[in-house]
Amino acid sequence: MKLKIIITLFTFTLFLAFGSAAHAENLHDYYEDVTESDLKNSMILSPESSMAFINGQKVSAVKPIVKDGRTLVPLRFISEGFGAKVDFNTKEQSITMKYATNTVFLKIGNKNITINGKSSVMDVAASIYNNTTYIPLRYMGEAFNKRVLYLKNAQIQPYGLIIIRDVNATAIENLNLIPVLKLLYQGKSIVYSDRFMAVIKENGQLLFSNTFNQFEPFVYQDLIEDKNLVRLGNIWFNTDMGNFYLNYAWDTTQEFILYRVEGEEITRVAIEKAPIEAVKTYLNDVYYLIRYGRGIPNPQETSNLKSATFNNGQWSTDYLG
């Protein structure tokens, strides 16, 4: 009877979580560089939050827990999130999961876990906490042929990030999505972010950061020329089409990124290897001048004059000569 009640609670919790997915927010709404394929078959959770991202969709989650130095994750929530079938045997207090070609078997209170007939011993037995069955994170990854990461640094963040993804799906880390996830789990209101910068809104004001840590006001500022200072980024251009912002990724890729800023709507116009000197607009097109730099590959394509056009929600650039 107790297990039946637990199963009912599980089912109700998952109904609330996954039933809301149709109206959930997608990570792509927050992050310019991530695609649907990057997030496919992935799950992101935090022990300090009831929010999770399944295939990039934000849903209500059952929290993972950290107990005696072990990271334990909710078995049924993650299993059904990945599309696995979960069966509880009330009499035997056993659980059978089926996912793709994998069959996983374990018992409550027992450290043994069997995956496709091969048994191993977990460092912590499957246990029930707050009416939810938990197992160690590592074995959840093995059950689904996934790579698992637990990112935690108590000195700089009061929470951890748990990422469960396909073995070869490294985009979550490589695209610098993790700093944005940290902001989301902090409850920050993200207006725009990509692998170069993030813009958030606090107290009605836009703030930006290249480090995703220390933020400063993101408002138009007239460029004040200084003969003793060469500015490659943090430059605003005022045009007939509105304001454009030039960012220089000095601490990462050393690229030059041009954005159009229209209130809280921010779009990335171009990424260049060479410094952008000037920005002008004519009708619906943007024209920008690039300064030649020694050592830049394909200088005939990356220097002089380029144009950018906005079509179907994206900017495309063309070399003019």
Side-chain angles (χ1 to χ4, degrees):
M1 177 63 69
K2 180 179 180 181
L3 193 55
K4 287 182 179 179
I5 294 173
I6 292 171
I7 293 174
T8 301
L9 289 171
F10 282 152
T11 305
F12 180 69
T13 301
L14 286 166
F15 172 79
L16 291 177
F18 296 102
S20 63
H23 305 286
E25 296 165 321
N26 194 298
L27 276 177
H28 184 63
D29 297 334
Y30 296 111
Y31 195 71
E32 172 73 19
D33 294 307
V34 74
T35 66
E36 301 297 331
S37 59
D38 295 326
L39 300 167
K40 188 177 180 180
N41 299 322
S42 71
M43 190 175 299
I44 303 164
L45 309 94
S46 173
E48 289 77 28
S49 176
S50 296
M51 173 178 68
F53 291 94
I54 299 176
N55 299 326
Q57 289 283 92
K58 187 169 77 172
V59 299
S60 298
V62 179
K63 285 185 182 181
I65 61 176
V66 179
K67 187 175 179 62
D68 299 328
R70 302 285 196 277
T71 303
L72 309 177
V73 291
L75 182 145
R76 189 176 185 107
F77 177 82
I78 293 177
S79 299
E80 296 197 352
F82 282 127
K85 181 180 178 181
V86 183
D87 290 323
F88 284 80
N89 186 310
T90 306
K91 183 178 179 181
E92 299 292 334
Q93 291 282 286
S94 64
I95 303 170
T96 302
M97 294 185 297
K98 292 185 178 181
Y99 174 76
T101 59
N102 285 5
T103 299
V104 182
F105 178 82
L106 50 84
K107 286 188 174 184
I108 301 296
N110 196 310
K111 291 185 178 182
N112 292 326
I113 183 170
T114 302
I115 303 176
N116 295 332
K118 183 179 179 181
S119 296
S120 59
V121 180
M122 300 184 292
D123 47 8
V124 177
S127 304
I128 295 177
Y129 299 100
N130 299 322
N131 297 325
T132 300
T133 300
Y134 287 87
I135 69 170
L137 173 62
R138 168 192 164 188
Y139 298 95
M140 183 61 78
E142 291 181 3
F144 291 100
N145 299 325
K146 302 286 186 182
R147 173 157 170 72
V148 298
L149 299 91
Y150 178 54
L151 308 173
K152 172 78 172 181
N153 187 335
Q155 294 181 347
I156 62 174
Q157 64 186 54
Y159 52 86
L161 287 178
I162 294 173
I163 298 174
I164 308 173
R165 60 164 174 80
D166 285 346
V167 174
N168 297 321
T170 59
I172 292 176
E173 295 102 279
N174 293 346
L175 287 176
N176 208 23
L177 180 57
I178 289 175
V180 176
L181 288 167
K182 293 177 181 178
L183 293 174
L184 287 173
Y185 278 105
Q186 282 180 322
K188 300 294 185 182
S189 176
I190 298 177
V191 175
Y192 176 89
S193 69
D194 59 17
R195 63 184 183 274
F196 303 107
M197 75 170 189
V199 178
I200 64 174
K201 186 175 183 180
E202 288 187 346
N203 300 321
Q205 182 180 24
L206 294 186
L207 307 170
F208 93 103
S209 174
N210 288 327
T211 63
F212 298 83
N213 186 17
Q214 294 181 337
F215 286 81
E216 58 185 75
F218 191 63
V219 293
Y220 178 86
Q221 298 177 20
D222 288 324
L223 177 63
I224 300 176
E225 297 288 350
D226 186 341
K227 295 181 179 180
N228 299 316
L229 178 66
V230 177
R231 292 184 62 178
L232 299 177
N234 192 23
I235 299 172
W236 288 87
F237 300 95
N238 182 264
T239 73
D240 293 337
M241 198 183 289
N243 295 329
F244 288 79
Y245 176 73
L246 178 62
N247 187 21
Y248 175 43
W250 59 272
D251 59 340
T252 53
T253 62
Q254 296 186 346
E255 292 174 304
F256 301 84
I257 309 97
L258 184 65
Y259 301 91
R260 184 188 179 192
V261 182
E262 189 176 11
E264 295 183 12
E265 183 178 345
I266 302 169
T267 55
R268 192 171 66 198
V269 179
I271 304 174
E272 299 291 345
K273 295 291 185 182
I276 296 175
E277 293 291 309
V279 177
K280 300 291 183 181
T281 59
Y282 180 70
L283 298 178
N284 294 322
D285 291 331
V286 178
Y287 298 87
Y288 58 97
L289 189 66
I290 298 177
R291 184 181 71 199
Y292 172 78
R294 178 176 293 181
I296 292 180
N298 303 318
Q300 72 279 6
E301 298 177 5
T302 59
S303 61
N304 295 325
L305 186 62
K306 279 191 172 183
S307 67
T309 304
F310 191 70
N311 283 318
N312 298 321
Q314 289 187 329
W315 289 94
S316 60
T317 60
D318 188 23
Y319 170 72
L320 297 179

